[in-house]
Amino acid sequence: MALEEKREKRPPVTPMMIEEEAALRNGSRGLPPGPWAEAAGPRPRTTERHIAVHKRLVLGFAVSILALLAVTMIAVLLSVRFEECGAAADGPPRAGGNGSLSGVARQPHGAGQPPGRPEEDARGGEAAEEEEEEEEEWQRRREPPPWARPRLPRHLRPLHYNLMLTAFMENFTFSGEVNVQLEVRNASRYIVLHAHRMHIEAVRVAEDKLAGGVRVARTFFYPQTQVFVVVLNRSLEVQRSYNLKIIYNALIENELLGFFRSSYVLHGERRFLGVTQFSPTHARKAFPCFDEPIYKATFKISIRHQATYLSLSNMPVETSVFEEDGWVTDHFSQTPLMSTYYLAWAVCNFTYRETVTKSGVVVRLYARPDAIRRGSGDYALNITRRLIEFYEDYFKVPYSLPKLDLLAVPKHPYAAMENWGLSVFVEQRILLDPSISSILYLLDVTMVIVHELCHQWFGDLVTPVWWEDVWLKEGFAHYFEFVGTDYLYPGWNMEKQRFLTDVLHEVMLLDGLASSHPVSQEVQQASDIDRVFDWIAYKKGAALIRMLAGFMGHSVFQMGLQDYLTIHKYGNAARNDLWNTLSKALKRVGKSVNIQEVMDQWTLQMGYPVITILGNETTDNIIVISQERFVYDSDTKPKDPARGDTSYLWQIPLTIAVGNTSHISSEAIIWVSNKSEHHRIPALEEASWLLGNINQTGYFRVNYDIRNWKLLINQLTRNHEVISVSNRAGLIDDAFNLARAGYLPQNIPLEIMRYLSEEKDFLPWHAASRALYPLDKLLDRTENYNIFNEYILRQVASMYLKLGWPTNNLNKSLAQASYQHEELRREVIMLACSFGNKHCHQQAATLISDWISSNRNRIPLNVRDIVYCTGVSLMDEDVWEFIWMKFHSTTAVSEKKILLEALTCSDDRNLLNRLLNLSLNSEVVLDQDAIDVIIHVARNPHGRDLAWKFFREKWKILNARYGEALFMNSKLVSGVTEFLNTEGELRELKNFIKSYEGGAAVSFSRAVETVEANVRWQRLYKEELFQWLRKSLTQ
C-alpha cells in the first residue's frame, strides 16, 4: 500500500533522538500519551523473579539515575542547547535544525510515520479536555477564544521566517523546520497561527538570546479556522521578541493547491515536479505561518533535494551545499517584506533560457527541456524583458528583486500566479510556437504575462490590507493587460477597443444580475475569501479604473499611481489610500474632485446604472436624464430586500455629444447624481441625435427614446463612420442587452445589425458576435430557430464573400500580421460557419479532408479552431477519432487546447458522452482542462442536456477536485447552467440545489437567477422576436 511505502521512507527513530526527547519532555507537561511518550519514557523495572541484583549495584544505579535527573533539570533551567540528531545514514534525509530551544512540545506521532490529519493526530485525551475547559471559560467571558475567530488575533506580529525544507520526490512527502521571529504587541499566553493538513512533530518557544525559554503547556489544531494553537505556561511580554520553532512534515499533494506535484513525459519517461500555489489561503498547507496579507515579513528559505533536481524560490540562490549521498541544499537570499500568499518554491528538473533588462534584472524562463529546446518560451522571455522596462518607466518605481523567473508547469489551477520573483504559469498560457499558433493564442499568452508582471507592483510590492479589496490588485492587473499590450503592439488599440468587448461588455452581463455583489465586499471568514476572486473583482475593477482614468485625465491618473506605489511600497494599502492619493494628484493640477465620494458609490454598491436620455417635446434643447439600476430580470427580488433597487444612486460622469448625418460635436461631461435631472443641450436640432457615454469610458448602459434610436440606426446605415468605432460597438451591445432585459423592443438590436454589411472594422463585428451568442443559445433548441439562423446568415453573407479565407501563413510572423483585418476575417468566418453558411462548411470539410489524406496540416493558423470544430460537427466519427489521435500525439500546448475543444463540437451524443467520461481521467485530460470540456459540451445544443446530467451525477467528484480552487467551481456551475432555459430545467436546477452537498452556494444562487431570466425571456419576448424576423425576411 502507498501509505506503508511512505512510512518506510520516512526518517527512522534513532537512540539519540529518543534520549533528547526524554530530556526535553521533563520541561513539558500535559502532553497526551502516544508513541513518542512510550519511546521516551523510562523502561518498566524487571521483577525479582527474573534477575537478582547485588544491593550495592542497585544503590549505585539509583545514585546514577538521581545524578542524571539533576543534570537534566539544570540543563533545562539554563536553556542548554542540544544538538539535534540527524537521520540515519541509510534513510531519507531529514530537515536539519539549528539546535533545540527550551520549552518544547512533541506531538504524539512517530517520526517514522507519514503525516496524517492533524485534527486526528493531536486532539484527544487530556489535551482535548483542557481545550474544552478553556473554550467554556471563553464562553463565560462571552467572547470566542482567539483560535475560533475568523481572523488571527492581533497580539503577535511575525518579523522574519527562517524556513528549511527537505523534499522527498520519490514518495511525495516533505519535512520542514520553520523558525519565526515574533514581536509581541499585547501580552498573551497563546500563539495562534495557520497550519493545515500537516503533522507537527515538535514546537519550541524561546525569548531572545539573553533570556531563557518559554515552556509550552500544550498544542492543538483547530480545524474550523485552520489554525494551530500553542498554549504557553506564561504570557509573552509586550515589546519583547520571541522565536517560535516548529518541526513538521506533510504530503506533496496530488492536487492543485499548497505544495503539490505535477508531471510530464519526456522520452517515454514520466518525470515529476513539485510546485506551490499559496494564494489566497494555502501557504498554511506548506508551512505554519500567519497566512493573512497584512502580516508581511522577510523570509529566508533553504530547500534540500536530490541533486538530480533543481530548486527555485522568490530570490536567487545564495549558496548550494552538496553532500556525498547525492543530496544538495540550496540557500536562497532573504526576501524583502512580503505576504505569505505570494511566497513560492519549486523542485523540478527543468532547463531554462535567460535575458537581462536594462536595469540588470535577470529574467529566466524554466520549462520542460524539450519545450526550451524548441524555443517555445522565447516569445514570453523577450516580452517579459520589455514589459519590466515598460512598468519601471510608467510607475517610476524600479522592479524590486534581482531576478524574475517564469515557470511553465503542466498542471496549475489558474492561468498563472504572480509570486514575487517566481511567477508560475500553466504551459498553455506561456509557451508559444509561432509556426502553429494563431493571433488569438499569441494575444492570450501576451495578456496573461502582462497581467502577472503588473502584479509585481500591484499586489506584491503594494498589497491589499485584506481580501475585501482584492480588486486593488486584480483590477489594476486586468486593466494593464490592455495598456501593456498596447505598449508591445501600438496598432492594436487594445485599451480603447478590445477592452470594451472582452472586459466591459462581459462583466456587465454578470453585474446585471440581482445576485451580483459590490466590487469591495465584506470578508469575514476563510470560506468568504474564495468568492471575492471572480470577474466582478477582475473585470469590474478594471472597468472602474478605466472610467476613473478617463475623467481624471490619463497623465494625472498616472502621476497618482506613481505616488501611491512610492508611498506604500513594501507595505499594505486599502481603497481609501488610493482615493486619497488620487485626490491629491488632482489638486496638484488645480482640480477638486472628492474621489472617495464618487468611487465609494461604484465600489460599495453592486450593479451599475442604465442612463435614459429623453428629449423634451415641450421645451427646446432640454433633455431629461434619469438613472436606475440595470437588472436583467425585474421580477427578481433584490439581494437586500430592505433596500430594494430604488435607492441605488451613482455619481455618473456622463459624456455626451450631438450629431447629424455628417458631423458629431465634441463631447461634454455632465455629472449625473440624482434620480432624474433636466439639462440644456445647445445646438440640439430636430434632425440631430444624441449619443451618450462617448467611447464607452463609463461603466453604465445608455438608453434613449425610440425616436433617437431610429435616428442612430439611420445614421449607421447612411454613414456609420461619423460615430466612433468604440461607440458603434457600444450601441450594439447596449441595444441587445436592453432588449434582453425588456427596456427596448426586440427588433431594435436586429435593425442595428443591418448596417454591418458595410462595417470594415473588427470591433463592432466582435461586439455583435458576442451579443448574438447568448441570444443564439436561448433559441437554438426552439422549433423556429431556422428563422433566426437565416436572418443572421443574410447579415453576414456579403462581408463573408468580400473577405474570403486566409491563405496558409505558416512562415509569416504573427506579430507582423494585420491584427485588425485578420481578426475581422476570423470573426466573420466564425459566424458564417456557426450559422451554417454552405460555402463555409464546404471549405472547412475540404481543409480537414486534405489534412487527413496528406497528414500535412495546411489549415491557416488563425482559423484552425473554427475548421476543427466545423469538421467534427459535420463529418463522420472517423474525423472525431482523427482529431482525438492528434490531441494525444501533439506536444504543442496551443494545438492541444484547440484540438480538445474541437472534440466537444460533435453532433454525435455517444461521442459527447464518451468525452465527458474521459474528462475526469487525469492521465487523459489535465485537471484544469476537464472543466472546459464539460462547459463546451454544455454549449453544444446536442450536448447541453448531457453535460447538465453529467454535472449532477459527478458533482461530488467535481466539487472535491475543484471546490477549493478560485474560479473553478463558479466557472463550472455557470458554464453548465447559463443556457438552460426551460421550466423543466429550472425545476431540475432548484431540486438539485436542495439535495447537493456543500460548496458554490453563491454560484448556484447566480445560476438560478440566470435560468429564471432565460425562462422569463422565452415567455415574454420570444414570439415578439420571431414575428419581427418573419416580417423582415419576407420584405
Side-chain angles (χ1 to χ4, degrees):
M1 291 176 63
L3 187 63
E4 290 173 355
E5 290 171 1
K6 290 172 186 172
R7 279 179 178 160
E8 288 169 5
K9 293 180 181 178
R10 299 303 298 158
V13 181
T14 67
M16 188 180 289
M17 290 165 61
I18 292 174
E19 288 172 10
E20 180 191 353
E21 181 67 12
L24 291 171
R25 271 186 181 278
N26 289 322
S28 180
R29 302 294 175 89
L31 285 172
W36 269 106
E38 292 170 7
R43 302 265 180 202
R45 278 182 271 174
T46 51
T47 64
E48 294 177 5
R49 287 180 299 173
H50 293 95
I51 190 167
V53 181
H54 196 277
K55 289 181 179 180
R56 280 180 295 178
L57 290 177
V58 172
L59 181 61
F61 184 76
V63 170
S64 299
I65 291 294
L66 288 171
L68 179 61
L69 287 171
V71 170
T72 303
M73 291 300 292
I74 291 168
V76 171
L77 292 171
L78 295 178
S79 300
V80 175
R81 301 176 66 86
F82 293 88
E83 291 297 323
E84 297 246 73
C85 175
D90 57 349
R94 177 188 176 91
N98 295 330
S100 61
L101 299 171
S102 299
V104 62
R106 282 274 183 184
Q107 294 298 318
H109 192 87
Q113 298 177 5
R117 292 292 181 195
E119 49 267 47
E120 295 172 3
D121 293 341
R123 303 187 59 170
E126 294 177 24
E129 289 176 13
E130 289 180 24
E131 182 188 331
E132 288 175 11
E133 289 174 7
E134 286 202 49
E135 287 196 25
E136 288 173 5
E137 172 61 29
W138 284 98
Q139 287 173 5
R140 284 193 291 273
R141 297 186 195 179
R142 295 187 176 180
E143 60 177 307
W147 53 86
R149 297 167 193 170
R151 300 279 298 273
L152 291 177
R154 294 290 181 260
H155 62 275
L156 296 175
R157 183 167 74 96
L159 302 177
H160 176 73
Y161 293 81
N162 197 347
L163 178 60
M164 292 160 282
L165 303 164
T166 299
F168 306 109
M169 295 302 294
E170 74 278 10
N171 68 349
F172 306 121
T173 62
F174 70 102
S175 60
E177 177 187 306
V178 63
N179 289 271
V180 191
Q181 184 186 351
L182 300 173
E183 177 186 77
V184 182
R185 292 175 167 181
N186 296 298
S188 175
R189 56 187 288 258
Y190 304 106
I191 298 175
V192 182
L193 72 167
H194 291 106
H196 187 45
R197 293 169 70 167
M198 64 179 61
H199 169 63
I200 290 180
E201 294 183 3
V203 180
R204 293 161 194 164
V205 180
E207 293 187 55
D208 54 41
K209 292 181 180 178
L210 297 177
V214 182
R215 291 185 183 177
V216 176
R218 62 190 182 85
T219 63
F220 62 91
F221 283 88
Y222 192 75
Q224 294 92 321
T225 51
Q226 299 182 353
V227 296
F228 181 67
V229 183
V230 181
V231 184
L232 303 171
N233 275 358
R234 65 174 174 85
S235 291
L236 301 176
E237 297 177 29
V238 177
Q239 296 183 341
R240 296 294 292 269
S241 177
Y242 294 82
N243 187 77
L244 169 66
K245 176 177 179 177
I246 300 177
I247 299 173
Y248 66 99
N249 53 63
L251 300 174
I252 302 175
E253 300 278 6
N254 185 24
E255 53 174 46
L256 298 167
L257 301 167
F259 185 19
F260 67 94
R261 65 185 186 264
S262 182
S263 68
Y264 63 98
V265 176
L266 184 67
H267 307 310
E269 173 195 355
R270 182 162 294 279
R271 296 188 176 187
F272 290 91
L273 62 141
V275 67
T276 59
Q277 170 57 40
F278 290 162
S279 178
T281 58
H282 305 288
R284 63 194 66 176
K285 294 178 180 176
F287 68 108
C289 58
F290 294 76
D291 200 11
E292 292 180 7
I294 193 67
Y295 289 113
K296 287 199 166 186
T298 54
F299 292 81
K300 190 83 169 62
I301 293 179
S302 300
I303 301 177
R304 196 163 185 253
H305 56 85
Q306 290 161 308
T308 51
Y309 291 87
L310 60 86
S311 67
L312 303 169
S313 190
N314 305 78
M315 298 296 287
V317 173
E318 206 168 53
T319 58
S320 293
V321 179
F322 291 85
E323 301 171 15
E324 292 181 0
D325 58 357
W327 287 74
V328 59
T329 302
D330 294 322
H331 299 280
F332 295 88
S333 300
Q334 181 170 302
T335 71
L337 285 170
M338 61 184 292
S339 305
T340 51
Y341 79 84
Y342 50 93
L343 189 73
W345 62 78
V347 178
C348 60
N349 42 28
F350 285 172
T351 54
Y352 69 89
R353 289 190 182 177
E354 75 171 39
T355 185
V356 182
T357 70
K358 292 175 183 176
S359 59
V361 178
V362 177
V363 183
R364 288 180 176 178
L365 187 141
Y366 287 84
R368 291 179 283 114
D370 53 326
I372 292 295
R373 192 166 50 251
R374 287 199 307 269
S376 299
D378 291 356
Y379 174 78
L381 189 65
N382 291 330
I383 68 167
T384 296
R385 173 180 50 78
R386 294 177 60 197
L387 286 166
I388 290 175
E389 294 165 357
F390 162 72
Y391 281 128
E392 288 183 324
D393 179 64
Y394 188 99
F395 296 137
K396 298 296 185 249
V397 175
Y399 176 74
S400 304
L401 304 183
K403 63 94 174 176
L404 174 60
D405 294 333
L406 312 175
L407 180 65
V409 297
K411 183 173 79 170
H412 199 263
Y414 316 121
M417 175 60 204
E418 70 268 16
N419 308 310
W420 210 2
L422 177 57
S423 291
V424 181
F425 298 75
V426 69
E427 287 179 336
Q428 294 171 344
R429 299 303 182 91
I430 192 168
L431 300 182
L432 181 145
D433 185 342
S435 67
I436 51 173
S437 297
S438 65
I439 294 176
L440 194 64
Y441 187 80
L442 176 137
L443 181 63
D444 191 36
V445 167
T446 301
M447 297 183 79
V448 170
I449 295 169
V450 176
H451 179 109
E452 301 310 323
L453 290 185
C454 180
H455 274 314
Q456 305 294 307
W457 283 264
F458 281 92
D460 296 353
L461 183 64
V462 179
T463 308
V465 171
W466 184 234
W467 298 111
E468 64 189 7
D469 282 331
V470 72
W471 72 272
L472 276 179
K473 72 183 188 77
E474 297 302 346
F476 273 103
H478 207 58
Y479 172 69
F480 273 97
E481 283 182 31
F482 297 83
V483 177
T485 304
D486 275 339
Y487 166 75
L488 296 172
Y489 302 105
W492 288 15
N493 291 321
M494 298 296 293
E495 190 269 337
K496 288 184 172 61
Q497 294 190 16
R498 192 71 183 247
F499 185 96
L500 304 184
T501 51
D502 292 13
V503 178
L504 184 66
H505 298 171
E506 185 171 329
V507 75
M508 286 178 125
L509 288 170
L510 185 63
D511 207 21
L513 299 174
S515 57
S516 185
H517 61 79
V519 72
S520 288
Q521 56 177 326
E522 193 172 0
V523 175
Q524 290 288 353
Q525 51 198 9
S527 59
D528 294 333
I529 295 171
D530 287 354
R531 65 179 171 81
V532 304
F533 283 84
D534 64 2
W535 285 139
I536 298 295
Y538 282 66
K539 292 181 182 287
K540 182 175 181 177
L544 294 180
I545 289 163
R546 181 172 176 267
M547 180 174 72
L548 181 58
F551 72 73
M552 283 184 68
H554 283 271
S555 61
V556 180
F557 175 72
Q558 181 179 354
M559 182 172 62
L561 294 188
Q562 292 168 358
D563 293 344
Y564 170 78
L565 290 171
T566 301
I567 293 166
H568 298 288
K569 61 185 178 183
Y570 303 111
N572 299 83
R575 59 182 177 273
N576 287 348
D577 296 316
L578 177 65
W579 305 150
N580 293 337
T581 307
L582 294 179
S583 292
K584 288 176 183 175
L586 275 173
K587 282 183 181 178
R588 292 216 302 269
V589 296
K591 295 181 181 179
S592 181
V593 177
N594 187 329
I595 298 291
Q596 181 178 343
E597 185 180 316
V598 173
M599 295 307 295
D600 274 356
Q601 292 180 320
W602 293 95
T603 58
L604 302 181
Q605 292 185 126
M606 72 176 83
Y608 56 88
V610 51
I611 285 279
T612 301
I613 303 174
L614 301 175
N616 193 322
E617 296 180 2
T618 59
T619 309
D620 290 342
N621 297 341
I622 296 293
I623 60 171
V624 180
I625 302 175
S626 61
Q627 62 165 301
E628 63 178 298
R629 183 186 173 196
F630 178 92
V631 286
Y632 282 103
D633 188 349
S634 58
D635 295 337
T636 305
K637 292 180 181 178
K639 197 171 183 181
D640 182 0
R643 180 173 187 175
D645 286 333
T646 56
S647 62
Y648 279 86
L649 283 176
W650 291 264
Q651 291 192 50
I652 304 169
L654 173 65
T655 48
I656 197 165
V658 179
N660 56 37
T661 53
S662 59
H663 174 74
I664 186 170
S665 69
S666 57
E667 66 184 70
I669 185 167
I670 299 172
W671 281 92
V672 180
S673 54
N674 298 307
K675 196 76 179 168
S676 181
E677 301 179 359
H678 290 72
H679 291 272
R680 180 177 295 278
I681 303 295
L684 187 58
E685 300 172 359
E686 185 175 345
S688 300
W689 41 261
L690 286 163
L691 186 65
N693 198 13
I694 304 305
N695 294 322
Q696 282 212 298
T697 54
Y699 186 70
F700 49 88
R701 298 197 185 280
V702 182
N703 195 10
Y704 310 93
D705 54 49
I706 294 299
R707 176 180 171 276
N708 199 74
W709 275 112
K710 294 287 187 184
L711 288 169
L712 288 168
I713 291 169
N714 186 55
Q715 182 65 55
L716 291 171
T717 304
R718 290 189 172 192
N719 182 7
H720 62 266
E721 292 183 351
V722 171
I723 300 172
S724 72
V725 172
S726 300
N727 274 119
R728 299 200 299 268
L731 284 169
I732 290 168
D733 186 72
D734 276 350
F736 270 97
N737 285 281
L738 289 165
R740 184 178 170 190
Y743 293 89
L744 264 185
Q746 300 300 305
N747 62 297
I748 295 293
L750 294 173
E751 286 190 36
I752 289 177
M753 267 197 69
R754 285 174 165 166
Y755 100 92
L756 284 175
S757 59
E758 301 301 320
E759 178 62 79
K760 297 176 183 177
D761 280 291
F762 159 70
L763 190 70
W765 274 100
H766 192 49
S769 177
R770 294 180 76 110
L772 280 170
Y773 188 74
L775 183 59
D776 177 62
K777 297 305 170 189
L778 284 172
L779 299 173
D780 63 7
R781 295 181 295 172
T782 60
E783 58 181 308
N784 294 317
Y785 176 70
N786 62 309
I787 300 172
F788 173 73
N789 194 79
E790 178 61 26
Y791 181 82
I792 302 302
L793 279 178
R794 286 191 185 183
Q795 312 314 311
V796 174
S798 62
M799 187 57 70
Y800 173 75
L801 289 173
K802 284 179 191 174
L803 295 172
W805 279 68
T807 55
N808 193 305
N809 57 351
L810 289 179
N811 297 318
K812 188 175 182 181
S813 168
L814 291 176
Q816 293 173 354
S818 171
Y819 165 75
Q820 297 283 350
H821 181 75
E822 289 304 316
E823 285 297 273
L824 171 61
R825 183 183 356 227
R826 171 190 160 75
E827 200 73 54
V828 172
I829 289 173
M830 184 171 64
L831 285 167
C833 277
S834 297
F835 285 95
N837 179 287
K838 290 181 180 178
H839 180 271
C840 194
H841 281 185
Q842 290 168 358
Q843 184 72 4
T846 300
L847 288 167
I848 287 279
S849 298
D850 174 67
W851 183 20
I852 293 172
S853 61
S854 67
N855 203 29
R856 287 189 61 200
N857 192 342
R858 290 185 275 256
I859 302 169
L861 298 176
N862 218 35
V863 294
R864 278 192 177 180
D865 57 335
I866 302 169
V867 172
Y868 293 173
C869 181
T870 305
V872 167
S873 173
L874 294 174
M875 302 167 80
D876 58 23
E877 187 175 340
D878 290 344
V879 173
W880 194 94
E881 295 289 355
F882 176 79
I883 297 292
W884 177 250
M885 177 192 70
K886 290 295 182 183
F887 165 71
H888 281 287
S889 63
T890 185
T891 56
V893 291
S894 60
E895 188 73 356
K896 220 171 183 64
K897 181 176 184 291
I898 62 173
L899 287 166
L900 182 60
E901 290 178 0
L903 294 166
T904 69
C905 299
S906 176
D907 290 357
D908 188 325
R909 291 169 63 84
N910 290 327
L911 291 174
L912 293 176
N913 256 330
R914 176 181 162 193
L915 185 61
L916 285 170
N917 288 311
L918 286 167
S919 70
L920 293 184
N921 184 341
S922 299
E923 295 297 315
V924 177
V925 177
L926 291 173
D927 288 353
Q928 69 263 15
D929 295 336
I931 286 179
D932 290 328
V933 170
I934 299 167
I935 289 173
H936 278 82
V937 172
R939 290 173 178 172
N940 182 340
H942 300 282
R944 192 164 305 149
D945 63 316
L946 299 178
W948 172 223
K949 181 172 181 285
F950 181 81
F951 171 85
R952 284 173 290 163
E953 290 175 350
K954 305 296 184 184
W955 169 249
K956 286 186 179 180
I957 297 172
L958 295 166
N959 192 44
R961 182 188 281 192
Y962 304 115
E964 284 192 285
L966 308 175
F967 276 125
M968 284 196 161
N969 250 1
S970 59
K971 177 183 175 182
L972 178 61
V973 172
S974 171
V976 170
T977 61
E978 65 182 330
F979 299 124
L980 302 178
N981 54 40
T982 68
E983 293 281 2
E985 289 169 336
L986 178 58
R987 278 194 303 273
E988 287 175 349
L989 175 59
K990 289 180 175 179
N991 290 336
F992 173 71
I993 293 171
K994 288 177 184 176
S995 62
Y996 85 99
E997 295 179 8
V1002 174
S1003 300
F1004 279 120
S1005 173
R1006 190 178 298 148
V1008 169
E1009 186 186 346
T1010 301
V1011 178
E1012 284 177 339
N1014 292 345
V1015 171
R1016 176 177 177 268
W1017 186 92
Q1018 295 267 1
R1019 185 178 71 251
L1020 295 179
Y1021 305 119
K1022 183 178 69 175
E1023 277 312 308
E1024 177 191 336
L1025 177 70
F1026 279 132
Q1027 284 176 14
W1028 185 88
L1029 286 171
R1030 289 188 192 97
K1031 183 179 177 182
S1032 177
L1033 289 171
T1034 56
Q1035 288 177 350

